[in-house]
Amino acid sequence: MNTGHTQQEIKFSDESLELVRNIIARYPQGKQKSALLPLLHLAQAEFDGWLSVPVMDYVASLLSIKPIEVYEVASFYTMFNLKPVGKCLIEVCQTSSCWLLGAEDIIKHLEKKLGIKVGETTKDGMFTLKTVECLGSCGTAPMLMCGAQFHENLTIEKVDTLLTDLKTEGKRKTYLDEVKIDKY
Amino acid sequence: MGKKLLLEHDNVPGIQGYDVYRQMGGYASVEKALKTMNPNAVVEEVKKSGLRGRGGAGFPTGMKWSFLAKPDGVPRHLVCNADESEPGTFKDRYLMSRIPHLLVEGMITSSFALGANTSYIYIRGEYYYIVRILEKAIAEAYAHGWLGKNILGTGYNLDLYVQVGGGAYICGEETALLESLEGKRGNPRIKPPFPAVKGLWERPTVVNNVETIAAVVPIVNNGGDAYAAIGVGKSTGTKLISASGHLNKPGVYEIELGLPVEEFIYSEEYCGGIRNGRELKAVVAGGSSVPILPKHLILNTAAGEPRLMSYESLADGGFVTGTMMGSGGFIAMDDTTSIVKNLYTFTRFYHHESCGQCSPCREGTAWMEKVLHKILDGHGTLADVDLLWDLQKNIEGKTICPLGEAAAWPVAAAIRHFRTEFEEFVKNPTRIKDVKHYYRLNNLPEPVM
């Protein structure tokens, strides 16, 4: 199991560092801590989909804040993974509207199809299955999110096609991905 | 056909881009405000319009704006609350992804009215793809001189940025949002001081919902009186309703406030009735936090008057027989729905989203979830139903922010209107078929069978 990144391999690409500078410039002098959430998103997307301690320390150094200020924030927000995840993190909404229209069946099917339980990662490191609370897609329920892409009006068949497509593509999905927009 | 102010051009091809938006009269409110009005005149129009906060609280926007402190030499900020996370609500997502320039335009006009020179749109992290849509719209606005220095040669400067959250419902509470925007955990602040006095970086700040800010555009264009002429009583203008659940046509609808609930549910213009020809059982009218109402009380008030989609009519009867407009998250449930199970999904939600700062909410939401789980699992007793009632009573009004109430009200209303269903579960424990699955679903260790 991947226990974490080593200090040496952690440095943003030049492109990302440029973006980091732009983000910090959005806030008044001395308020660079405001850039923390955007930077954590950037770091998670660039360093294998999760935030290891060395990655968080790196972000702290970029913002000249204490590491604990990063840890306490990263552990508060649902979207930041503090453990390694598969290339495709499947986040299935389970709140009211999605539940009313069959989210439980979708979750059961995913567990069966992937051979894992909620919270686990497939052996090949391809998929991690997670249940989440309302993602604001209630009118197109049931839904799941993978990377930045919403997959809506789900049926068992749609889920199967999606899994096949994701597997064929084999790429890591991140929240920063460009997405294709169907309805909205 | 109701009047549309926000979604009037929703179906115009290319409305997402600057050129089409401008052709459809876009950015006229910025021209009008900056060139022909002073900031106070804009605030006055918003006051006249009777516009109320569209995020859920329904507080008069003009009044909120007039509370903004204006100490010399201290910058002020406008922050748009695009953290839309109330279960059942997806109108802001719709608006931002379909007509992003409407929000950008509203931000410019509103920032001018408040004298803010740097404004932020705080958007929930799960809407990351909309960050791109908004940033593209903002870049177009800069390119055409609507943002930046000396806008329209008036000497007014404004920078607008999108800030992304990290997936926390609580950041929709305005002081938690500001904490998050400062790069901290989303723990709500104790008020006072209110954000209007000490907000973002301790500077005077106004936080408004996406739809509220978008509504400023037609208010400035047509005048506050024209806006106030739409709607009924103190519920002026139009409202975006997110309709979901067992409806034939779920989706986002712009309605004139005062539309009868029955028409909204059953007419072809709106939701088209209940799917599969089933009967309506209950409705959560304003997002998960507001009290659920059974069919007879959502269609008519206790006095037998038709219930209208307005702040006052939905609240008619208080919490005994009424509910709230809230965020306009309208969840309809048919006669196959288990109210107890639906309540469990709400309570699980609030437990997950409690920031943990206040004990009544942190412990109470967890406890309520456990008790509901026990009842659903067929191990409940009648005393558990009373325990739930006690628990919600002990959360309500005892927390720093309204998440406590938001978690308590759905429990109270479900028991108030559907107590027999809870008792049914307790008296006839139909055990769910696969207990192990249930445990797994909730990330619990395998039960000993």
Side-chain angles (χ1 to χ4, degrees):
Chain A
M1 173 155 154
N2 189 351
T3 50
H5 302 89
T6 60
Q7 210 75 52
Q8 289 76 28
E9 62 195 23
I10 297 164
K11 189 174 185 303
F12 274 134
S13 64
D14 290 343
E15 198 188 331
S16 297
L17 279 172
E18 177 65 25
L19 193 53
V20 168
R21 276 189 290 274
N22 286 336
I23 293 171
I24 293 174
R26 294 171 185 174
Y27 317 104
Q29 277 276 309
K31 304 296 182 192
Q32 77 282 2
K33 186 176 171 178
S34 284
L36 182 51
L37 268 75
L39 256 60
L40 287 176
H41 276 295
L42 212 58
Q44 183 162 280
E46 194 151 326
F47 303 114
D48 310 315
W50 70 293
L51 299 170
S52 60
V53 170
V55 166
M56 289 190 279
D57 292 349
Y58 174 63
V59 170
S61 72
L62 288 173
L63 293 175
S64 316
I65 56 177
K66 295 189 195 83
I68 183 69
E69 294 178 81
V70 180
Y71 308 159
E72 65 171 10
V73 164
S75 61
F76 183 84
Y77 295 93
T78 313
M79 291 175 81
F80 300 123
N81 304 312
L82 301 179
K83 283 188 289 192
V85 291
K87 281 185 176 173
C88 300
L89 176 60
I90 310 270
E91 301 180 80
V92 196
C93 176
Q94 59 173 353
T95 319
S96 178
S97 300
C98 280
W99 167 73
L100 286 169
L101 295 171
E104 280 189 334
D105 295 336
I106 301 288
I107 296 165
K108 263 187 219 165
H109 180 72
L110 277 162
E111 285 192 321
K112 202 171 120 202
K113 188 92 185 174
L114 296 172
I116 53 173
K117 297 167 190 169
V118 169
E120 292 180 350
T121 303
T122 53
K123 281 206 182 81
D124 60 1
M126 193 62 211
F127 297 104
T128 298
L129 183 60
K130 186 178 172 186
T131 51
V132 292
E133 301 298 343
C134 191
L135 295 185
S137 180
C138 321
T140 36
M143 68 83 69
L144 67 80
M145 178 176 174
C146 182
Q149 181 81 52
F150 281 24
H151 300 274
E152 306 174 301
N153 295 312
L154 288 178
T155 57
I156 300 292
E157 295 73 40
K158 269 195 184 176
V159 169
D160 287 344
T161 315
L162 173 67
L163 290 182
T164 314
D165 290 352
L166 288 172
K167 205 157 184 172
T168 316
E169 206 185 333
K171 274 206 288 203
R172 178 172 292 285
K173 296 285 177 190
T174 82
Y175 296 128
L176 278 61
D177 292 344
E178 296 274 354
V179 306
K180 104 179 170 291
I181 298 159
D182 299 331
K183 197 175 167 202
Y184 298 159
Chain B
M1 193 74 176
K3 196 165 175 62
K4 291 192 172 27
L5 298 175
L6 306 182
L7 301 183
E8 191 185 352
H9 303 301
D10 184 33
N11 289 319
V12 177
I15 193 73
Q16 214 188 37
Y18 175 79
D19 293 334
V20 175
Y21 182 75
R22 179 75 177 132
Q23 276 163 28
M24 291 292 130
Y27 290 97
S29 78
V30 179
E31 272 181 315
K32 185 173 176 185
L34 267 64
K35 287 189 169 166
T36 69
M37 298 166 83
N38 64 36
N40 283 338
V42 180
V43 176
E44 281 311 309
E45 288 305 318
V46 173
K47 271 190 187 165
K48 263 196 265 173
S49 74
L51 174 66
R52 295 166 68 171
R54 299 292 194 229
F59 191 81
T61 306
M63 202 186 288
K64 191 173 190 176
W65 284 13
S66 64
F67 291 155
L68 186 68
K70 294 176 179 163
D72 282 343
V74 183
R76 305 187 278 275
H77 295 289
L78 171 64
V79 178
C80 172
N81 184 347
D83 192 60
E84 183 170 68
S85 314
E86 175 88 0
T89 316
F90 47 100
K91 65 185 176 72
D92 295 342
R93 172 177 163 232
Y94 185 91
L95 187 71
M96 289 187 290
S97 55
R98 300 277 290 228
I99 321 177
H101 280 283
L102 185 62
L103 177 60
V104 176
E105 180 179 353
M107 284 299 285
I108 301 168
T109 306
S110 307
S111 297
F112 171 73
L114 298 167
N117 299 110
T118 311
S119 298
Y120 298 90
I121 299 170
Y122 180 97
I123 187 165
R124 67 180 299 191
E126 290 90 343
Y127 289 177
Y128 218 114
Y129 73 96
I130 301 177
V131 174
R132 293 178 180 284
I133 295 173
L134 288 174
E135 282 183 341
K136 184 163 173 272
I138 289 171
E140 286 175 329
Y142 268 104
H144 289 88
W146 301 105
L147 281 167
K149 297 253 179 284
N150 194 18
I151 300 168
L152 302 179
T154 60
Y156 177 61
N157 306 328
L158 177 66
D159 284 312
L160 178 58
Y161 302 108
V162 183
Q163 174 85 3
V164 67
Y169 169 72
I170 191 60
C171 292
E173 195 278 338
E174 60 180 10
T175 59
L177 185 152
L178 296 174
E179 286 285 299
S180 182
L181 184 41
E182 291 182 6
K184 301 175 194 160
R185 296 164 72 93
N187 287 348
R189 298 174 182 169
I190 292 171
K191 295 188 266 191
F194 287 90
V197 178
K198 277 190 177 181
L200 184 62
W201 305 306
E202 303 216 324
R203 297 165 175 184
T205 306
V206 166
V207 183
N208 281 143
N209 174 258
V210 172
E211 189 188 344
T212 313
I213 287 172
V216 171
V217 173
I219 289 170
V220 169
N221 281 336
N222 313 326
D225 289 333
Y227 190 86
I230 304 167
V232 53
K234 284 187 178 167
S235 298
T236 60
T238 63
K239 172 93 187 79
L240 297 180
I241 303 292
S242 322
S244 70
H246 296 134
L247 293 164
N248 277 321
K249 296 194 294 174
V252 175
Y253 296 96
E254 181 170 11
I255 61 154
E256 282 185 32
L257 286 168
L259 180 80
V261 174
E262 189 162 3
E263 187 181 339
F264 182 68
I265 297 176
Y266 293 103
S267 84
E268 279 311 309
E269 192 186 338
Y270 299 103
C271 301
I274 306 303
R275 65 170 63 179
N276 303 328
R278 300 213 68 99
E279 272 291 306
L280 178 67
K281 178 175 183 176
V283 166
V284 175
S288 60
S289 312
V290 311
I292 190 170
L293 286 182
K295 180 183 177 183
H296 68 281
L297 283 176
I298 189 68
L299 296 182
N300 295 296
T301 65
E305 300 285 322
R307 181 90 68 186
L308 310 178
M309 303 281 273
S310 73
Y311 291 93
E312 291 74 24
S313 181
L314 284 169
D316 186 282
F319 278 5
V320 180
T321 59
T323 179
M324 279 169 76
M325 172 63 101
S327 63
F330 194 94
I331 310 172
M333 299 165 200
D334 72 15
D335 53 359
T336 63
T337 311
S338 160
I339 299 298
V340 184
K341 184 69 201 281
N342 180 67
L343 178 64
Y344 174 69
T345 76
F346 283 161
T347 306
R348 178 178 59 199
F349 171 86
Y350 289 109
H351 174 210
H352 182 262
E353 301 297 346
S354 173
C355 81
Q357 201 175 199
C358 314
S359 323
C361 172
R362 182 187 63 237
E363 304 300 324
T365 51
W367 201 355
M368 291 195 301
E369 186 193 337
K370 277 182 194 160
V371 173
L372 279 164
H373 187 276
K374 181 183 169 194
I375 293 174
L376 279 172
D377 207 18
H379 301 297
T381 63
L382 286 176
D384 285 325
V385 186
D386 298 325
L387 177 60
L388 272 177
W389 186 267
D390 269 0
L391 283 168
Q392 63 83 18
K393 269 274 167 245
N394 281 301
I395 300 174
E396 189 187 8
K398 296 182 175 65
T399 54
I400 289 175
C401 87
L403 194 142
E405 279 81 43
W409 293 343
V411 174
I415 297 175
R416 186 181 296 122
H417 298 299
F418 297 95
R419 192 182 171 99
T420 49
E421 232 177 275
F422 287 81
E423 292 175 352
E424 201 52 37
F425 255 98
V426 170
K427 289 176 187 158
N428 311 298
T430 37
R431 302 211 27 198
I432 50 167
K433 285 179 199 128
D434 182 1
V435 177
K436 279 190 176 174
H437 170 76
Y438 215 70
Y439 274 67
R440 287 200 299 270
L441 216 52
N442 295 290
N443 301 323
L444 296 167
E446 287 282 303
V448 181
M449 300 294 281

